[in-house]
Amino acid sequence: MKQKIKQDTSVAVIFLIYLLSCIALTAGMQCSGIAPSYRFDCHPEADVTQLKCQQRGCCWLSSKNLDEGVPYCFYPHDFPTYEMGSPEQTAFGYSVVLKRTTKSYYPNDVMQLQMDIYFETSYRLHFKIYDPRSERYEVPIPTPKVSKRAPSTDYKVQFSKSPMGLVITRAVDNTVIFNSTLSPLIFADQFLQMSTSLVTPYIYGLGEHRGRFKVASDWKTYPMWSRDHPPQVGDNLYGVHPFYLNLEGASSKAHGVLLLNSNAMEVVLQPAPALTYRTIGGILDFYIFMGPGSDEVVQQYTEVIGRPLMPPYWGLGFHLCRWGYGSSNRTLEIVKRMKAALIPQDTQWNDIEYADGRKDFTVNNSTFAGLPDMIKYLHASGMHFIPILDPGISSTQPPGTYPPYDTGIAQDVFVKDSTGKPLVGEVWPGPTVFPDFFNNKTKSWWLDQIKSFHGKVPFDGLWIDMNEPSNFVDGSINGCTKSSYDNPPYTPSILGGSLDAMTVCASAIQSIGKHYDLHSLYGYSEAIGTNEALVKVRNKRAFVISRSTFPGSGKHTGHWLGDNYSLWPDMAYSIAGILSFNLFGIPLVGADICGFNLNTTEELCQRWMQLGAFYPFSRNHNTIGAKDQDPTAFSVDMQISSRNALQIRYSLLPYIYTLFHFAHSKGSTVARPLFFEFPGDPKLYDVDRQFMLGSSLVVTPVLEEGSTNVTGIFPKGIWFGVNHGTHFQVNSTQAVTLPAPLNEINAHVREGCIVPLQLPYKEGYTTTTEYRQLGFTLLITRSINGPGSGHLFWDDGDSLDTYENGNYLLLEFSSSETSMNSTVSYDGYSGSHAVTVQSFIIATVPHPVSQVTINGTSVAFDYEPQLMNVYVNNLKVPMQFNFYVKWEWQTQD
């Protein structure tokens, strides 16, 4: 009998080898001619072998000469996929049926799909591929709905039956924006894969990741699954943003693509250039944004996911925090020390040490008993206070002693395990349960807790951390199930290798579905509930900073870049992070200045304070056990340097606040790369050691230890330095080396700009409350290559919906080489302080000026011939009326 089995086995093996050799011979014709850069991976699992590859019907070609990352196992030209039916016109575009007759190598293929294509606007195409016979999970964020097709579009759609796929081109020049014919579509229950070409390798986005701003396209994989982990290159981090912007080369155009999917996924880029999406649930729901300008792409993107919030004015001031103050008295001591050093600060924060046993909504009455009095001092000084809140609610307190848990259990607000009981994990207070913020009952309960806590600790904003959600045990204290939710057929290349690593079980149950689908939306859902609660409790604008984010989060919260390190590379990487989150529609973003982990050095912290003064969200924060790193912990020179940098920030806040208005009303970026403003210039595509605030200001920080100069890339034009009023001119885009002494950062305003400022006329101004009482200074950088422009948005800085309700002032500035006009675009402002111009700075005027007039009336002025700047002071020009300024210079015969 054993001999018979052995003979049968030998026959089977011989037959399998014969079969595979036949397949290989046949595949040879289908595999030949596929360049390495166009190989699409057929076996993304790590345990690939030739046998496993060929069992999938794929090509196997290995070579030591291949670049790292090139797959040995890849799809042949004729790999089985779906067959496309005839497209049918609909009121909104097209609908087409996709059928497959051969199953893929993943279980539970969806054999028939439907693809609906929506011509939503002239610049936005939406298409989704789904199972028409069985409802599947779709991301529950609000998006625009259309019922009829746009009459004309910037794109064309082509249906390809062989090879099967969708081809989307730009109508004006036939540039291929999206082409899914390069690789077979797979749509199984827990494995969905689609590939597309890219126009160029200049691609940005696909977050949240640590790395360069331009995403690497040389066989790099970018996993996405919200995860608590200090930022490291290559790891999936706190947020998930499956959106990218792609530059189109010499045409100066750009477009964007969103895959609206929240399941665990990875995106693989290859040098064709092309990318492949792999996700393990939901549907394929794509949006294409045609731009053609880069900032227009972001505007179109935020039109779908939600415009960014309008922060309160004070939220744009400087914030200070650390874990390790030890007490409210020590915290207040630092606040007073900052004020004595005349270093601007608007908001003081406290980390989890303020709470009793690190439990939410409690105060440690031993070390932080003075917290309410400290907040009274802050408010009396025109300042604000923000505490931390983690989502994990302690679950082991004696019954009746901890209302957040007791009422939460009574109201059934917590995430459940697979048995229907509250899932118990472990975070800072010990065993914890996790609120289900998609449950309306949870939102009501969360509001009650915030309202009650605010009655004791009158905070002004909230910092929501650990909301990936983070868990110190994998899954739960009882482990997870053996189901396919916790052990899917394919797991993307996420940190830890499993879905439950440092978070809750994917099989956990929430009110609208499985955590398997909703995991990366946890921070998003908490941000909504927190924002809504703050608005109801304070009746003012909500200021929320969240660690975990998803498309649409920017409508409800800002973001900080997580638990970075006090290292020079971490400071440099922060620029790319801030630029990326502006692409993602979350412009209120910053990194922990001077670094969170490890001990900083004075030089690093000094340089980082200078850079951080230009972050959209500016906060210095570090961890317990590390030394103090607020500016007053260092030398007098460091304190002066930080004060000067922050004074520049506070002077620029009218301009920065105006940028946030356009982010809120139009979806524009606040921080942006240089190529946004100077499109079509390849020298700028890789620049991520400089950045712009709006269209006017370029920041060039020192990012290397010991440097006393810095080299930046500057496009053609005149560049005005904000530190000393000096300027330089370049005739084409080029590298410029600038002096950068330890006490200064380089920031330059481009020509043809009108920038509103508030410059203090005496020492001692340290809060936005004080700065907002000042008159305005208009910095006019002379325009020589066309008209100049600028804007000012002004309101009371804190009330709800001032733009929506018309309670604001909007001014539009324009300039020529010898004049400037201010036009009131809208005036619904009725603030208590008059809005007036107190001074003008007219920069880079090439000849001595003989006269300056305002509305035709001569005014006194000073001309600095070495700087070539005109200064007009001691004015009170009302800004709620149109006015014009002219200057005449003396010309030599």
Side-chain angles (χ1 to χ4, degrees):
M1 183 67 180
K2 291 181 179 179
Q3 182 66 26
K4 171 66 173 170
I5 293 174
K6 187 175 181 180
Q7 288 176 349
D8 289 346
T9 303
S10 299
V11 171
V13 170
I14 292 171
F15 177 75
L16 179 59
I17 294 172
Y18 170 75
L19 182 62
L20 289 176
S21 65
C22 291
I23 292 172
L25 183 63
T26 305
M29 296 180 290
Q30 295 297 329
C31 299
S32 62
I34 299 179
S37 63
Y38 279 87
R39 292 187 183 184
F40 291 86
D41 197 345
C42 177
H43 199 293
E45 296 88 346
D47 61 344
V48 61
T49 65
Q50 182 173 356
L51 178 62
K52 290 180 178 180
C53 176
Q54 291 176 340
Q55 284 175 338
R56 292 184 173 184
C58 290
C59 306
W60 178 270
L61 291 175
S62 63
S63 171
K64 294 180 180 179
N65 297 324
L66 291 173
D67 293 337
E68 183 179 355
V70 178
Y72 293 171
C73 182
F74 56 98
Y75 295 106
H77 293 300
D78 62 346
F79 190 87
T81 185
Y82 291 84
E83 296 178 0
M84 180 181 290
S86 298
E88 296 182 1
Q89 282 201 352
T90 63
F92 49 76
Y94 290 97
S95 184
V96 60
V97 173
L98 308 177
K99 291 183 179 180
R100 73 180 305 144
T101 57
T102 304
K103 291 189 176 183
S104 74
Y105 43 86
Y106 286 105
N108 302 315
D109 283 286
V110 180
M111 303 301 286
Q112 180 172 319
L113 299 170
Q114 183 164 325
M115 178 166 60
D116 291 339
I117 302 172
Y118 302 82
F119 292 64
E120 293 195 339
T121 71
S122 62
Y123 49 80
R124 183 176 77 234
L125 177 71
H126 177 201
F127 71 92
K128 57 195 298 187
I129 302 173
Y130 60 97
D131 183 351
R133 298 174 175 177
S134 180
E135 185 176 0
R136 293 177 61 85
Y137 164 77
E138 297 187 32
V139 177
I141 71 170
T143 54
K145 308 301 179 188
V146 300
S147 58
K148 63 180 181 179
R149 175 177 179 155
S152 62
T153 64
D154 298 335
Y155 48 83
K156 295 186 293 186
V157 176
Q158 302 169 33
F159 300 93
S160 175
K161 293 193 175 184
S162 181
M164 194 283 294
L166 194 66
V167 180
I168 301 163
T169 59
R170 188 177 290 282
V172 68
D173 58 13
N174 293 317
T175 299
V176 177
I177 303 299
F178 193 96
N179 178 5
S180 68
T181 68
L182 303 181
S183 179
L185 168 67
I186 297 178
F187 198 120
D189 183 39
Q190 291 182 276
F191 185 88
L192 292 72
Q193 179 174 278
M194 176 180 273
S195 301
T196 179
S197 62
L198 298 168
V199 181
T200 70
Y202 295 106
I203 179 172
Y204 310 84
L206 298 175
E208 180 178 5
H209 296 101
R210 159 70 64 85
R212 297 290 305 273
F213 180 48
K214 184 177 80 69
V215 175
S217 58
D218 53 345
W219 301 106
K220 290 296 188 292
T221 298
Y222 293 87
M224 299 184 197
W225 179 249
S226 293
R227 170 66 193 257
D228 171 10
H229 194 264
Q232 294 181 10
V233 174
D235 292 342
N236 51 300
L237 294 177
Y238 313 104
V240 165
H241 295 274
F243 166 80
Y244 70 80
L245 180 144
N246 192 199
L247 300 183
E248 297 174 25
S251 71
S252 303
K253 298 181 179 68
H255 65 270
V257 177
L258 166 68
L259 170 57
L260 187 56
N261 183 292
S262 62
N263 292 89
M265 76 168 74
E266 61 194 12
V267 179
V268 182
L269 283 96
Q270 59 196 77
L275 64 75
T276 297
Y277 298 95
R278 298 190 196 106
T279 182
I280 62 172
I283 68 170
L284 296 175
D285 193 359
F286 284 95
Y287 288 85
I288 313 292
F289 308 97
M290 299 301 294
S294 293
D295 200 62
E296 289 176 290
V297 171
V298 179
Q299 293 173 28
Q300 293 160 12
Y301 175 50
T302 57
E303 185 180 25
V304 169
I305 64 169
R307 302 293 199 205
L309 59 77
M310 186 66 185
Y313 199 90
W314 59 264
L316 302 181
F318 178 63
H319 301 251
L320 186 60
C321 183
R322 76 154 299 161
W323 181 14
Y325 286 124
S327 68
S328 54
N329 289 341
R330 174 63 174 163
T331 308
L332 182 56
E333 177 187 331
I334 301 299
V335 171
K336 291 180 177 179
R337 206 165 73 181
M338 289 280 289
K339 186 173 284 291
L342 301 180
I343 299 173
Q345 181 191 355
D346 259 72
T347 308
Q348 181 61 50
W349 299 44
N350 275 129
D351 210 317
I352 55 174
E353 61 185 337
Y354 78 85
D356 180 23
R358 300 174 175 177
K359 301 188 301 293
D360 278 355
F361 308 113
T362 66
V363 175
N364 185 326
N365 287 322
S366 173
T367 53
F368 279 82
L371 189 58
D373 289 337
M374 184 190 82
I375 296 172
K376 286 182 182 178
Y377 174 87
L378 293 173
H379 289 168
S381 304
M383 299 173 70
H384 301 82
F385 176 73
I386 293 177
I388 195 172
L389 279 182
D390 294 337
I393 299 296
S394 176
S395 60
T396 56
Q397 305 308 307
T401 65
Y402 186 47
Y405 178 74
D406 295 335
T407 57
I409 290 293
Q411 296 174 34
D412 191 24
V413 304
F414 298 120
V415 174
K416 297 179 173 62
D417 63 21
S418 59
T419 70
K421 297 178 181 179
L423 182 146
V424 180
E426 186 173 335
V427 199
W428 294 115
T432 54
V433 289
F434 301 86
D436 173 11
F437 291 101
F438 277 114
N439 188 337
N440 287 329
K441 291 187 297 183
T442 306
K443 287 186 178 182
S444 178
W445 165 84
W446 192 244
L447 168 62
D448 290 342
Q449 307 313 309
I450 289 174
K451 183 177 181 180
S452 175
F453 190 50
H454 188 266
K456 305 168 188 174
V457 180
F459 48 82
D460 302 290
L462 286 171
W463 171 22
I464 51 177
D465 191 9
M466 307 291 287
N467 54 354
E468 290 72 31
S470 180
N471 188 359
F472 295 165
V473 296
D474 291 348
S476 79
I477 61 173
N478 298 313
C480 299
T481 71
K482 297 186 182 301
S483 71
S484 64
Y485 291 113
D486 293 311
N487 303 277
Y490 180 81
T491 300
S493 55
I494 59 175
L495 185 64
S498 64
L499 299 184
D500 66 357
M502 289 290 291
T503 190
V504 303
C505 300
S507 58
I509 302 167
Q510 297 188 235
S511 60
I512 65 170
K514 293 283 189 182
H515 193 75
Y516 179 87
D517 298 314
L518 300 168
H519 168 80
S520 293
L521 288 161
Y522 193 88
Y524 166 85
S525 62
E526 186 192 14
I528 294 175
T530 305
N531 183 299
E532 291 175 353
L534 273 173
V535 168
K536 290 176 181 177
V537 168
R538 298 182 69 248
N539 196 33
K540 294 179 180 179
R541 288 180 213 168
F543 188 87
V544 182
I545 296 294
S546 174
R547 191 167 71 178
S548 185
T549 57
F550 190 80
S553 288
K555 185 177 179 180
H556 313 282
T557 183
H559 173 63
W560 94 103
L561 296 177
D563 297 342
N564 59 2
Y565 288 86
S566 296
L567 299 170
W568 289 87
D570 286 58
M571 176 170 62
Y573 278 128
S574 73
I575 297 175
I578 285 164
L579 294 176
S580 293
F581 270 87
N582 273 264
L583 293 189
F584 300 151
I586 309 178
L588 185 63
V589 60
D592 280 347
I593 296 170
C594 300
F596 176 74
N597 289 303
L598 305 179
N599 282 318
T600 190
T601 64
E602 178 161 332
E603 182 188 358
L604 172 61
C605 197
Q606 187 164 354
R607 290 301 193 188
W608 212 330
M609 281 295 300
Q610 294 165 2
L611 169 60
F614 294 89
Y615 287 164
F617 165 57
S618 181
R619 183 186 72 165
N620 180 316
H621 175 48
N622 70 323
T623 190
I624 193 167
K627 65 183 183 182
D628 285 349
Q629 63 182 36
D630 64 272
T632 64
F634 298 100
S635 68
V636 172
D637 287 345
M638 159 64 165
Q639 294 176 43
I640 293 172
S641 169
S642 298
R643 179 170 69 231
N644 291 343
L646 288 171
Q647 284 176 342
I648 293 173
R649 176 187 183 84
Y650 276 60
S651 297
L652 282 165
L653 281 184
Y655 170 71
I656 297 172
Y657 190 63
T658 300
L659 296 178
F660 272 97
H661 161 69
F662 286 118
H664 176 65
S665 60
K666 293 174 54 180
S668 290
T669 53
V670 172
R672 61 190 65 162
L674 272 71
F675 69 73
F676 267 47
E677 292 299 320
F678 302 92
D681 189 340
K683 293 181 181 179
L684 303 177
Y685 293 168
D686 286 316
V687 174
D688 59 6
R689 296 172 70 86
Q690 294 170 275
F691 64 99
M692 298 189 73
L693 289 178
S695 60
S696 301
L697 186 71
V698 171
V699 181
T700 310
V702 170
L703 302 172
E704 296 178 353
E705 186 175 9
S707 295
T708 55
N709 55 55
V710 62
T711 299
I713 304 295
F714 288 87
K716 177 182 178 180
I718 300 174
W719 295 92
F720 174 82
V722 300
N723 277 309
H724 303 293
T726 57
H727 69 273
F728 64 86
Q729 183 172 356
V730 292
N731 295 320
S732 62
T733 300
Q734 60 186 266
V736 178
T737 299
L738 304 164
L742 185 57
N743 62 347
E744 289 183 7
I745 184 172
N746 278 279
H748 291 84
V749 177
R750 66 193 282 199
E751 66 180 47
C753 294
I754 302 99
V755 179
L757 309 169
Q758 285 181 310
L759 299 176
Y761 50 86
K762 62 179 181 180
E763 292 286 343
Y765 289 75
T766 59
T767 67
T768 56
T769 302
E770 295 164 321
Y771 269 78
R772 280 182 58 88
Q773 299 176 30
L774 297 171
F776 290 90
T777 295
L778 295 184
L779 169 62
I780 307 164
T781 55
R782 187 173 59 93
S783 176
I784 60 174
N785 292 311
S789 63
H791 294 86
L792 172 65
F793 173 87
W794 200 246
D795 60 8
D796 70 9
D798 210 7
S799 293
L800 295 169
D801 302 325
T802 55
Y803 171 68
E804 292 76 6
N805 295 330
N807 301 323
Y808 66 93
L809 173 67
L810 181 63
L811 304 181
E812 183 174 351
F813 307 126
S814 60
S815 68
S816 67
E817 199 170 9
T818 58
S819 67
M820 190 219 78
N821 289 274
S822 176
T823 303
V824 178
S825 296
Y826 181 86
D827 185 10
Y829 177 71
S830 56
S832 57
H833 297 288
V835 184
T836 61
V837 176
Q838 70 179 17
S839 61
F840 292 95
I841 302 172
I842 309 169
T844 67
V845 179
H847 305 289
V849 171
S850 59
Q851 184 178 12
V852 177
T853 62
I854 302 176
N855 293 335
T857 301
S858 294
V859 294
F861 65 91
D862 292 310
Y863 178 73
E864 291 287 344
Q866 289 186 328
L867 298 176
M868 298 168 56
N869 299 331
V870 177
Y871 301 91
V872 185
N873 298 311
N874 302 317
L875 302 172
K876 284 190 178 180
V877 180
M879 302 181 77
Q880 289 174 270
F881 300 92
N882 297 344
F883 66 88
Y884 63 92
V885 182
K886 290 187 176 181
W887 53 94
E888 300 175 7
W889 61 60
Q890 303 168 3
T891 58
Q892 297 179 346
D893 295 334

